[in-house]
Amino acid sequence: MNIFLEMVHSVAKPKSYGMFLRNGKLKTFFFGFLLVLFYFIITVLVPVVRLFTASGGFISAADAMIPDFTIENCTVYVDGTMEYEKGGIYVFANTDSAFIDAMSEDELTAAMRLYDRVLLMDSRQAVIKNMTRIQRIAYEDLDPDLFMTKDKLLKTLESVVNVAIAVILAVVFVGMELLFFLGAVFVALCGMVVASCMHCGLTFGQLYKLGIHARTTPLIIKAVLAYLPFGIPMYFVISVGISVLYLVEAIRHIKTPILPKGSLVFSSAQTGPVQNNREPWEYESGGYEDGSVWNRPEDAMDRGPQDGSDKWSRP
């Protein structure tokens, strides 16, 4: 059975979980890997692509926000006046005047107290606040060889941002994979308790295979919740409960092995097991329907002489 049909059976037919026990370790791992990959695409990759498509990408947003500027020969020039305020961030730049020098230290501290991060730029210096730390940077202290413009900055950001986004997405994906397989371990441990209560002899490895498939439905529900305007508190606990219910239904249908019809009679170690297909009356009469008989002793005389000679051949 291919992976996609197994996903359908994992959701709709918990009674058929027994067939997953025949899968190898690599196929079971590949099933879980693809399941998380689909979840990652739906819940992470698609929203990121939609955001970049709607905004024109990070570089387009930065281009719209950052004014034209030039840093050259220990001077900084910003085209016009720039002011930006959002949340705890405040940026103000006016390189045509030295307004920072006109403010006292108390006035400057009071002006920045309302924000967590502040950037002030005038014709001679810049003041940067990051939480509680305030730093002054005089343009004359800059490297004389430093040259930067808006276009150069955007080109640098473009390569750095693309790599950074790719790394972040890769880390998120690997984290999802690890959490999924660790969650399957927890489900398998719960399954051991269930199997013990149901007198089922499944091993931990077998329960782990079933646990990976039992995580399918909770992961699908979680993907749907990502697009809804509300969430479910403590969903991880609920998802484990759903997986355990799938395991209970699966174990209930695979705990009793299918035995061959008819009872088995075991002989000595030399002959091995033989199938008992005769009726009881056949043994009582000492013969079979085909007329053959065996030399079963009927009384003490049939056991041969007491001196041990001329013994009968016991089958």
Side-chain angles (χ1 to χ4, degrees):
M1 180 180 296
N2 62 51
I3 296 294
F4 300 102
L5 284 179
E6 286 191 1
M7 290 182 182
V8 175
H9 280 263
S10 297
V11 176
K13 297 182 179 180
K15 297 179 181 179
S16 63
Y17 270 37
M19 65 182 179
F20 299 145
L21 298 177
R22 297 193 294 266
N23 294 342
K25 296 179 181 179
L26 184 60
K27 185 176 182 180
T28 303
F29 171 79
F30 188 60
F31 175 89
F33 178 84
L34 280 183
L35 189 63
V36 177
L37 177 61
F38 294 149
Y39 173 78
F40 172 78
I41 292 174
I42 294 173
T43 60
V44 177
L45 200 58
V46 171
V48 169
V49 172
R50 290 176 58 187
L51 176 63
F52 272 70
T53 302
S55 62
F58 176 81
I59 301 302
S60 298
D63 187 25
M65 293 177 57
I66 299 176
D68 291 330
F69 70 91
T70 302
I71 301 177
E72 186 178 12
N73 297 326
C74 297
T75 60
V76 177
Y77 171 76
V78 178
D79 186 18
T81 300
M82 174 191 175
E83 186 174 15
Y84 174 81
E85 180 181 5
K86 185 175 183 180
I89 301 175
Y90 180 74
V91 177
F92 181 81
N94 183 3
T95 57
D96 294 330
S97 65
F99 67 90
I100 296 179
D101 289 338
M103 301 174 63
S104 65
E105 194 68 27
D106 293 338
E107 291 175 340
L108 189 62
T109 303
M112 295 188 296
R113 186 177 295 133
L114 301 176
Y115 306 96
D116 296 327
R117 293 173 177 83
V118 178
L119 172 61
L120 302 177
M121 299 177 65
D122 66 3
S123 60
R124 298 180 56 188
Q125 61 183 321
V127 177
I128 301 174
K129 177 187 177 184
N130 184 14
M131 305 303 291
T132 58
R133 182 182 178 185
I134 299 176
Q135 182 181 8
R136 288 175 177 264
I137 300 176
Y139 300 151
E140 60 185 16
D141 296 333
L142 297 176
D143 186 355
D145 297 330
L146 177 61
F147 174 76
M148 180 65 66
T149 63
K150 176 181 177 180
D151 293 338
K152 186 177 180 180
L153 175 64
L154 293 179
K155 289 180 180 179
T156 304
L157 287 177
E158 186 174 6
S159 58
V160 173
V161 168
N162 291 337
V163 173
I165 292 176
V167 171
I168 292 173
L169 291 177
V171 170
V172 171
F173 175 68
V174 172
M176 285 183 174
E177 291 283 358
L178 291 177
L179 289 176
F180 173 81
F181 285 104
L182 287 176
V185 171
F186 187 75
V187 172
L189 292 175
C190 296
M192 291 187 69
V193 177
V194 174
S196 177
C197 295
M198 299 178 69
H199 306 288
C200 179
L202 292 175
T203 64
F204 177 79
Q206 292 172 324
L207 289 169
Y208 186 65
K209 287 183 179 180
L210 299 180
I212 289 177
H213 289 82
R215 297 294 294 160
T216 305
T217 299
L219 204 62
I220 293 175
I221 296 175
K222 190 176 180 180
V224 173
L225 290 175
Y227 287 87
L228 297 179
F230 59 87
I232 299 179
M234 302 294 292
Y235 179 74
F236 175 75
V237 178
I238 298 175
S239 68
V240 171
I242 295 173
S243 298
V244 172
L245 290 178
Y246 269 81
L247 279 184
V248 171
E249 185 67 14
I251 294 173
R252 196 166 64 87
H253 287 84
I254 64 177
K255 70 173 183 175
T256 304
I258 300 176
L259 297 174
K261 294 182 179 180
S263 58
L264 292 176
V265 176
F266 295 90
S267 67
S268 63
Q270 289 79 8
T271 58
V274 296
Q275 188 72 29
N276 181 3
N277 293 323
R278 300 292 180 178
E279 298 295 336
W281 64 267
E282 294 176 330
Y283 292 100
E284 294 172 359
S285 64
Y288 300 114
E289 292 178 347
D290 58 2
S292 61
V293 297
W294 62 288
N295 56 342
R296 175 183 176 184
E298 299 293 340
D299 50 39
M301 296 299 296
D302 292 331
R303 295 189 177 92
Q306 298 299 320
D307 57 4
S309 62
D310 194 22
K311 291 181 178 288
W312 59 278
S313 178
R314 181 175 182 179

